[in-house]
Amino acid sequence: MFVTMVFPVFLGIVVTLFFLLPVKRRPVLLLLSSYVFCGWIDLRGLAVLLFISLVTWRAGIRIESLRGKTRGRGAKKDRGFTVFMVCFLAAVLCVYKFGNYCLSHVNWQAPQAVTAGLAMPVGMSFYMFQAIGYLTDIYKEKSGAEKNFIFLGCYLAFFPKLVSGPIEREQDFIPQLKGLYRVKFGDRGRLSTAFTYMLWGYFMKMVVADRLAGAVNRIFAAPESFDSVWLLVGAFFYTMQIYCDFAGYSYIAIGCAKIFGIDLAQNFKGPYCAESITDFWRRWHISLSSWLRDYLYIPLGGNRKGIVRKCVNTVIVFLVCGMWHGAGMHYVLWGLLHGIYSVADTLIRKSGRKIRGGRFLTFVEVAFAWIFFRAQSAREAVSYVSGIFTAGIHPENWAETAKLLQIGGIEALVIAVGIAVVLFIDEFCNARKLNLPVLIQKKENAARYFIFYLLIIAIFIFGMYGPGYHAEQFIYMQF
């Protein structure tokens, strides 16, 4: 929805009402706006979101109440109830995540109404993890139960992060909702930073990711039609596409939230600048990797029970990470690959050895794993990888192939420049340990406005939009 013409109108209306209505109504406005946003995308998804929000709200209050009653005499009741609720939420997520996949692998021909009803509601994977983390934190007394449904509902449903995160923690998000009365419209620094985040996000999405999407879709749809070089190009293009698509969404979400005075978690920190696979996961989808660390890896024992147990826990976490992204063996294999990479990295670091060219090796590892992520099945992924080594090199067909992929001439130049700009900005920001919007805010007004104009011009001239063009949905929207 971020890349539709409806969204600027919707956002404009919400922002106007936010600063015109009495300040005490702001949380209510954001909650209602988020439900409108969700309902506009998927009414069935709105019903599921409301149900999960109400269940989580009441469960949180119940867990806190049980903890108070059982203090000093053990905590069997609150532990049992917490485990039940976490398992219930996880089971609901699994039913939606794997229901249709399981039905397709049994002989029973499910009615269309059943399969349609099991389609993943929008944003479910993200707000379910937030709900599970919220209840777990109450049980561990890291936070208290939120008594006001408005705040908890908005925490789960807030529209900028609803579709694809980041996965927020309640102790970071809800206090900001309670402080909305302090947000002033005239804070130009906040609005300028928000504008920068959104512009950079739209550049990554519309100029780079969506321009790569056409070639990626054609190559992965028929890999047998391309030689080894073009299959490598397809893998590289997807490696850049998924980054620019997902990071683009995250930057737009951060910018939208910042307009209302809410700071969302940074989800990306130059992931392709990583020196190792461990470093990569400190930079890629940070809110998910940190959630898996805190609510799965550490409870499993983390690294406290020896190197063997640490390696086993690491593989389990990445298998869950793969399954969180979707049903199918190709997601499991993607997670397993990252688990193997991480175990190898752990063992190498424990031995004290250093690997030369760590950044390049990490990029190759990640790009290889993305093939399994992008393919429609494990078989297709294996076939794609096999083609890289067996299809041969046929330079006499390259010009015709480029024409077939619609990336010849000026299009190829725009793609190359777009990718180069993204990688250069990541390198530049990585060296300074700051993200682009913050760096831009440190510049003089003239330099800052010049960068704004460049991004706006690039989006309007080179962005993918307009009559006859169907904007690619954000990749992580399907998860």
Side-chain angles (χ1 to χ4, degrees), residues 357-370:
R359 180 179 295 191
F360 176 75
L361 178 61
T362 301
F363 184 86
V364 171
E365 289 175 337
V366 171
F368 177 77
W370 282 135

Side-chain angles (χ1 to χ4, degrees), residues 79-104:
R79 183 187 299 116
F81 183 71
T82 303
V83 170
F84 170 78
M85 287 307 307
V86 168
C87 290
F88 170 75
L89 293 175
V92 172
L93 178 59
C94 287
V95 167
Y96 278 104
K97 182 75 74 173
F98 305 112
N100 281 329
Y101 179 79
C102 292
L103 290 176
S104 68

Side-chain angles (χ1 to χ4, degrees), residues 38-352:
C38 181
W40 181 273
I41 299 174
D42 180 12
L43 274 175
R44 179 184 57 87
L46 174 60
V48 175
L49 173 61
L50 279 167
F51 171 73
I52 295 299
S53 298
L54 287 167
V55 168
T56 303
W57 174 54
R58 293 305 306 167
I61 295 173
R62 176 66 173 166
I63 292 170
E64 186 174 70
S65 174
L66 287 173
R67 282 205 67 81
K69 293 178 181 179
T70 59
R71 191 181 305 279
R73 299 187 294 105
K76 292 183 179 179
K77 288 186 177 180
D78 62 317
R79 183 187 299 116
F81 183 71
T82 303
V83 170
F84 170 78
M85 287 307 307
V86 168
C87 290
F88 170 75
L89 293 175
V92 172
L93 178 59
C94 287
V95 167
Y96 278 104
K97 182 75 74 173
F98 305 112
N100 281 329
Y101 179 79
C102 292
L103 290 176
S104 68
H105 285 74
V106 297
N107 293 327
W108 180 54
Q109 295 293 322
Q112 186 176 358
V114 173
T115 57
L118 290 177
M120 274 292 291
V122 61
M124 187 179 200
S125 294
F126 295 89
Y127 66 71
M128 277 296 206
F129 268 25
Q130 290 182 146
I132 290 172
Y134 168 72
L135 297 181
T136 303
D137 285 348
I138 295 173
Y139 169 73
K140 292 183 176 180
E141 297 186 287
K142 292 183 178 179
S143 63
E146 178 53 55
K147 307 302 190 298
N148 189 328
F149 177 76
I150 300 299
F151 294 128
L152 183 69
C154 197
Y155 162 63
L156 295 176
F158 187 46
F159 72 88
K161 69 177 181 63
L162 172 66
V163 173
S164 298
I167 301 171
E168 290 288 332
R169 308 295 177 94
E170 77 282 357
Q171 55 265 53
D172 297 327
F173 189 87
I174 291 180
Q176 295 188 75
L177 289 176
K178 295 180 178 180
L180 289 179
Y181 65 90
R182 293 190 294 264
V183 179
K184 307 293 184 183
F185 178 76
D187 185 356
R188 295 198 306 174
R190 187 190 76 255
L191 295 177
S192 177
T193 305
F195 187 56
T196 309
Y197 270 111
M198 295 182 71
L199 279 180
W200 182 236
Y202 278 117
F203 176 87
M204 294 184 77
K205 168 63 176 173
M206 298 174 67
V207 178
V208 184
D210 282 359
R211 195 168 291 278
L212 291 171
V216 169
N217 292 341
R218 293 182 184 94
I219 293 173
F220 274 85
E224 67 279 358
S225 303
F226 301 91
D227 71 3
S228 298
V229 171
W230 280 106
L231 292 177
L232 287 171
V233 169
F236 172 71
F237 275 10
Y238 184 68
T239 298
M240 295 307 303
Q241 181 201 354
I242 192 170
Y243 170 48
C244 292
D245 188 281
F246 192 18
Y249 175 95
S250 296
Y251 286 128
I252 296 170
I254 290 172
C256 288
K258 197 169 284 292
I259 293 174
F260 305 106
I262 295 175
D263 293 324
L264 297 182
Q266 294 290 335
N267 232 1
F268 295 89
K269 293 182 180 178
Y272 295 149
C273 296
E275 298 287 348
S276 67
I277 203 69
T278 301
D279 189 26
F280 172 80
W281 280 100
R282 294 191 184 109
R283 298 165 177 267
W284 175 275
H285 204 171
I286 300 168
S287 64
L288 174 63
S289 57
S290 62
W291 192 97
L292 290 170
R293 177 198 65 208
D294 294 344
Y295 298 104
L296 184 59
Y297 178 71
I298 292 176
L300 285 173
N303 57 4
R304 303 187 304 274
K305 299 184 178 182
I307 187 66
V308 174
R309 183 65 176 272
K310 171 181 169 62
C311 292
V312 171
N313 291 341
T314 298
V315 172
I316 291 174
V317 166
F318 278 108
L319 286 175
V320 171
C321 182
M323 295 172 67
W324 177 86
H325 282 88
M329 279 303 300
H330 55 303
Y331 290 117
V332 174
L333 290 174
W334 174 79
L336 180 61
L337 279 170
H338 276 278
I340 293 171
Y341 295 159
S342 297
V343 168
D345 185 48
T346 297
L347 296 176
I348 290 171
R349 284 189 288 112
K350 185 175 178 60
S351 70

